[in-house]
Amino acid sequence: MRSSPKRLSVLLVGTALIAGVLGIGTMASATDPADGIPPAVAAAVNHTGHRMAASTQASGDDADGDGYIPAVPPVTGVVPSDATPPQAYFHEFQANCSVTHTAPDDPIVYPGQFGKSHDHTFLGNRSTNAASTTGSLYGGSTACKAPADASAYWMPSLYKGEQKILPVGPQVIYYKAGVTDYRSVRPFPKGLRFVVGNPMQTAQEFRAHKGFVEGWECGDSFFNTDFPASCPSRPDVQLNLRMQAPSCWDGLHLDTPDHKSHMAYPVVKPGTNDNMCPASHPVALPMIEFKMAWPVNGDMSQVRLASGRGYSFHYDFFNAWEERTLKAMVDHCIVGGLQCDPRGYDQNNPGRGAVLNADYLLP
C-alpha cells in the first residue's frame, strides 16, 4: 500500500510504538525534543505548560484531527544545497507588523478552542483567533505594512504587575536566509505554521536554544535569559528581544502534532563554517526573526509573561502571504542578496529597485 505524505514521517521512524502513539493520540511520556524523545513521538505542549496528547479532534485545517496537515502537493526530490554562493553580507527583508489585539487563543496549539490558552499578543492579521484557518486568514485585513502579508504572528503577552504591556508601532520581523547558500531559499508554502521555543523550557534551555540571539536586553544589559532586575528609566529605553525560527522544512507537512517536527534549524557542513539544511528537512525557507520591543523600564521585578518567566518566551507563525508577493520579495531580497525594507528596497543598492510600490503593493 502506498503511503501518503501525511503518514510518511511515521513510517520513516520505523517503530510500531511510535505509530501507535501517533495513530491513537495517547498520552506520551515526554513533551519536547529536549527530553531526548524523537520529535515525532513527543506530544504537543500546551501554552500553560501542561502535557497534552496529540489532538484527536477534527478542527480547522486538520480534517481528521490527527495533528498532521499535509502539504498539497508535497515538495520532494530536494537535495540540501552545500554550495558556496557569491559573497553577500545581507540577504533579508523586513515584514514590519503592528499589534492588533490580545486574546487567550492559539489556533495552532488549540484550534477551535476559544479561551484555552494563556493570553497572547497578536500581530499582523486582524482576525486571528482560535478558529483561524488558512482560508480565514488568507486575504484578510492586516496590520503589516504590506497588505499582501495576512500572516498571523503571536507571542505570550507581557505584564508589569497586572498591567498588560503591548509593543507600540510596527515591530521588526525579519525574513532572512538561514543557510549559507541564500540562493536556495524558496517562499513559505501557503498555510505553513509552527511554534518557536517552548513555554516549559528552563533558563539554560532557552539560552541553548538554536533560535536564541541576544536574549532579553535593555540599556547596557544584554544576553539575559530572564528579565533584567532593572532597566534605565529613560523614555528611549525599552525591553527588547530577538529570537530566530527554524528555516528548513520537510516538504511534507504544513503542521505536525508537536508543531515543530516538520521544521528544523540548519546544520553546519562538515569541515566548514557553512550552514545547510539537513537531509531530513531539505527545503530551505526564509528564517523568521522576531525583533520585539516593549515600552517598559525602571524596576522590572514585576515583569512577567503570560506563560511565566522570561525564559518561557516562544512565538507562533501562521503563513498567509499572497503567493506572488512573497515570492517576489524572497527572490529579490533573499535570493538576490540584498538588505531590504518592507517595500523590498535596499537603500545601499538603489539601482536594484524595489519590489513593492509606495502603497506596499506588488505592481
Side-chain angles (χ1 to χ4, degrees), residues 276-356:
M276 58 183 291
C277 284
S280 60
H281 296 73
V283 185
L285 301 177
M287 181 191 72
I288 286 182
E289 179 181 306
F290 265 34
K291 185 179 180 182
M292 302 288 125
W294 291 262
V296 61
N297 55 36
D299 179 9
M300 303 288 284
S301 61
Q302 296 187 60
V303 174
R304 61 181 174 87
L305 293 173
S307 55
R309 300 282 292 271
Y311 46 79
S312 71
F313 184 81
H314 54 287
Y315 65 87
D316 302 57
F317 168 68
F318 196 139
N319 176 46
W321 273 88
E322 189 277 319
E323 295 96 325
R324 294 180 309 115
T325 306
L326 178 59
K327 178 172 171 51
M329 292 289 283
V330 169
D331 288 351
H332 183 73
C333 301
I334 298 180
V335 177
L338 298 176
Q339 183 184 26
C340 295
D341 65 13
R343 285 188 56 219
Y345 176 76
D346 184 347
Q347 64 179 358
N348 296 312
N349 291 277
R352 299 282 292 274
V355 176
L356 308 180

Side-chain angles (χ1 to χ4, degrees), residues 60-71:
D61 293 322
D62 185 9
D64 58 9
D66 70 351
Y68 289 93
I69 301 177

Side-chain angles (χ1 to χ4, degrees), residues 39-40 78 232 254-255 257 262 280 297 320 355 363:
V78 176
L254 301 178
D255 197 11
H262 54 309
S280 60
N297 55 36
V355 176

Side-chain angles (χ1 to χ4, degrees), residues 158-165 302-304:
L158 184 140
Y159 295 82
K160 186 171 187 178
E162 296 305 311
Q163 180 185 4
K164 190 180 299 182
I165 308 294
Q302 296 187 60
V303 174
R304 61 181 174 87

